[in-house]
Amino acid sequence: MNRVSTNRVSRLSRRQLLAACGGGLALAPLVPLLARAADPAPAKRLIFLYSSNGTVYERWKPSNGTNGLVLSDILKPLEAYREKLLVVGGLDYKAELEKGAKGNSHEGGIACALTGAPTVQVGANKDDVLASGPSVDQFIAQKLDYRTALFGLQVDEYTDTICSTSYAAAKQPLKPNNDPYAVFQDLFGSFMPPGSAVDPKLALQNADRQSVIDLVRSDLQSLKTKLGASEQAKLDAHLTGIRELEKSLSGKAGASALDSCKKTALGPHLDINKNDNIPNLGSAAMDIVVDAMACDLIRGATIQFGRAGANHRFTWLGDAFNRNPAYVSGKDETEGIHSFAHDELTPSTRDGLVQIHAWYAGQMKALMDRLAAIPEGTGTMLDNTLVVWFNELGKGGSHEIKETPWVLGGNLGGHFKTNQFLDFPGEPHNRLLLNLMHGMGLTNEKSFGDPDFCSGPLSGLTA
């Protein structure tokens, strides 16, 4: 069950402070109490960004230079965040390749990508397959008891077998919501914006941030009257030390994302089924995700651009992406991404695919821009969040689920070593999913998905 986690801070009571002061007036007993009373470390958050139909691998694959990442044609829009990127290549969906019911296919790829589990046939049709385990986003959310949101951007022709990246459990796919306005209402409908006198989360935050000395000032004054001069001097010295410790702890905590919490202001209601609205619908989804995370309503989200094998037309990139009369009527005559992928060996089409995938990279940048704009701790929300861009395929034209592209942005409070490209040819991607779990704090987990394909986390990813 995904619930909003309160993650409340333990308060330091008057009795605890006075007991510590009275116990020989030693400062040491107060240190752990103050540490618990200080603001907690910023929450860790996980966002998945999905695009379909594979990539143009040689123009996606970056390299490492003297200053770290050297971004490729497709990844160039992310240059502003180069130092915050970790790009992982070479990974195969081996659980599906070796045990799955579909193998190289859209269905096998989308089911296995976040589950690391092979598909099983669930109907008479050979395409009726579902993953045999939960997805990593839902597994983490269930373990850490937080809520997630699943956005679909024109995930058309919905069927469980080709449209779901997330699974609550084996053979239990979760349907992404194509209507960002409905997701907004679900998350923010009854939410009281910050500044409201009845907002319990804001009131709790403000109370937790008060100095413990200020909270018990009158009790301390009463205590001082019962002490001799030398003991009063010791108390004053110790309280000065405690005040400095408070300042130090507060400084480490820094800003809270809750300071930037606001109720998303959505524009006019867009037609959620109109192809040309995809960029604006994606922008609305990103606004909702980041604002909901700043307000701690969710800590996980997936923004899914279409189903596996989506044929969105990228008309906003130019007329060449609208219609190609060379196509025979009724056979992918619209110049969508699926059509491009199946014609990927034609040089001009390949160039078009690069433009499409670079546009997706720009969407990842736009999401990271939003996170980087919100102060948190000693940095921003981006520093405590991981954005993971993934695909159901490695190569679209042949439906291969080998050499799948993975781009990670942010580092979960310093967990991941960024500004590098790591290549793991032929390794099962389950190992990367385990890295994600460890980054979110589930360090006791030893494998994820099919254990036959998870010998441990990938090396070299952590700081």
Side-chain angles (χ1 to χ4, degrees):
M1 184 187 309
N2 292 345
R3 297 185 291 273
V4 178
S5 174
T6 54
N7 195 32
R8 295 182 175 176
V9 183
S10 299
R11 287 195 177 85
L12 181 62
S13 68
R14 287 183 173 85
R15 180 176 297 177
Q16 288 174 308
L17 179 61
L18 295 175
C21 289
L25 296 178
L27 178 61
L30 282 174
V31 175
L33 294 176
L34 282 170
R36 291 200 301 270
D39 285 345
K44 291 183 176 183
R45 310 171 188 90
L46 185 57
I47 304 174
F48 287 95
L49 188 66
Y50 167 83
S51 63
S52 66
N53 292 289
T55 190
V56 182
Y57 198 77
E58 77 276 5
R59 296 178 69 178
W60 169 87
K61 186 177 180 179
S63 59
N64 293 308
T66 55
N67 295 317
L69 267 176
V70 179
L71 295 178
S72 60
D73 294 343
I74 288 175
L75 299 182
K76 203 65 177 176
L78 288 160
E79 181 64 40
Y81 293 107
R82 178 176 57 83
E83 295 185 354
K84 294 183 180 294
L85 296 179
L86 170 59
V87 184
V88 183
L91 301 177
D92 298 346
Y93 296 161
K94 279 202 166 182
E96 179 62 19
L97 284 170
E98 298 189 17
K99 289 187 177 182
K102 283 293 292 183
N104 283 316
S105 65
H106 291 296
E107 296 89 347
I110 195 170
C112 187
L114 294 187
T115 67
T119 58
V120 292
Q121 190 166 336
V122 293
N125 192 308
K126 62 182 177 60
D127 292 335
D128 294 338
V129 297
L130 294 174
S132 56
S135 56
V136 69
D137 59 324
Q138 299 304 307
F139 183 87
I140 293 172
Q142 290 163 9
K143 285 284 186 178
L144 299 183
D145 192 24
Y146 64 66
R147 189 177 180 186
T148 64
L150 305 179
F151 290 83
L153 301 174
Q154 294 187 23
V155 180
D156 59 349
E157 302 174 24
Y158 182 83
T159 63
D160 288 337
T161 61
I162 204 167
C163 295
S164 295
T165 63
S166 296
Y167 279 69
K171 297 187 285 188
Q172 293 183 29
L174 298 173
K175 184 177 181 179
N177 195 326
N178 276 344
D179 188 349
Y181 305 95
V183 180
F184 168 79
Q185 185 62 32
D186 180 50
L187 294 175
F188 286 96
S190 60
F191 179 72
M192 299 296 296
S196 168
V198 296
D199 179 4
K201 183 169 287 189
L202 187 67
L204 178 62
Q205 171 188 284
N206 291 336
D208 284 335
R209 286 181 173 179
Q210 292 185 62
S211 164
V212 291
I213 297 177
D214 291 339
L215 287 171
V216 295
R217 184 176 299 279
S218 60
D219 297 286
L220 291 172
Q221 291 300 324
S222 175
L223 175 63
K224 284 183 68 173
T225 61
K226 301 175 183 178
L227 301 175
S230 62
E231 292 300 306
Q232 287 186 23
K234 289 180 182 179
L235 179 59
D236 288 337
H238 281 39
L239 292 178
T240 298
I242 294 171
R243 178 71 80 183
E244 293 303 313
L245 178 60
E246 278 190 326
K247 291 179 180 179
S248 173
L249 289 169
S250 178
K252 289 178 182 177
S256 169
L258 285 170
D259 296 332
S260 300
C261 172
K262 66 180 185 297
K263 196 168 185 174
T264 306
L266 294 179
H269 200 290
L270 297 170
D271 182 349
I272 64 173
N273 298 310
K274 185 178 180 181
N275 180 88
D276 288 4
N277 284 340
I278 289 173
N280 288 332
L281 291 169
S283 180
M286 292 179 199
D287 287 341
I288 295 169
V289 166
V290 174
D291 288 346
M293 286 187 168
C295 298
D296 202 23
L297 299 177
I298 58 174
R299 292 188 182 175
T302 299
I303 300 175
Q304 183 177 329
F305 283 92
R307 57 174 167 81
N311 204 28
H312 295 160
R313 299 189 318 277
F314 287 73
T315 51
W316 51 89
L317 297 180
D319 290 341
F321 297 87
N322 189 14
R323 182 178 292 272
N324 186 341
Y327 281 100
V328 178
S329 179
K331 293 185 178 180
D332 284 338
E333 65 181 61
T334 51
E335 197 76 303
I337 182 174
H338 189 257
S339 306
F340 271 76
H342 279 283
D343 191 37
E344 63 183 357
L345 296 182
T346 301
S348 60
T349 302
R350 207 160 180 79
D351 289 341
L353 277 171
V354 170
Q355 284 183 263
I356 289 172
H357 295 306
W359 182 82
Y360 283 128
Q363 299 310 292
M364 182 173 181
K365 177 188 179 294
L367 180 55
M368 294 175 73
D369 283 342
R370 287 164 167 80
L371 292 164
I374 299 178
E376 184 173 52
T378 56
T380 70
M381 272 184 69
L382 179 58
D383 297 310
N384 304 302
T385 304
L386 190 69
V387 180
V388 181
W389 176 22
F390 73 107
N391 200 295
E392 93 273 19
L393 301 176
K395 183 182 291 186
S398 55
H399 294 175
E400 291 184 19
I401 55 178
K402 300 177 181 179
E403 288 192 323
T404 58
W406 293 82
V407 184
L408 282 58
N411 63 16
L412 294 178
H415 179 83
F416 288 104
K417 183 180 180 182
T418 54
N419 195 20
Q420 63 169 336
F421 169 63
L422 295 174
D423 202 13
F424 299 93
E427 282 293 317
H429 84 295
N430 298 56
R431 299 182 64 190
L432 176 61
L433 300 182
L434 185 59
N435 283 103
L436 303 184
M437 293 170 62
H438 287 182
M440 288 295 289
L442 300 179
T443 55
N444 290 331
E445 300 295 332
K446 303 304 180 186
S447 68
F448 185 74
D450 191 315
D452 289 343
F453 303 98
C454 196
S455 58
L458 295 171
S459 60
L461 274 67
T462 54

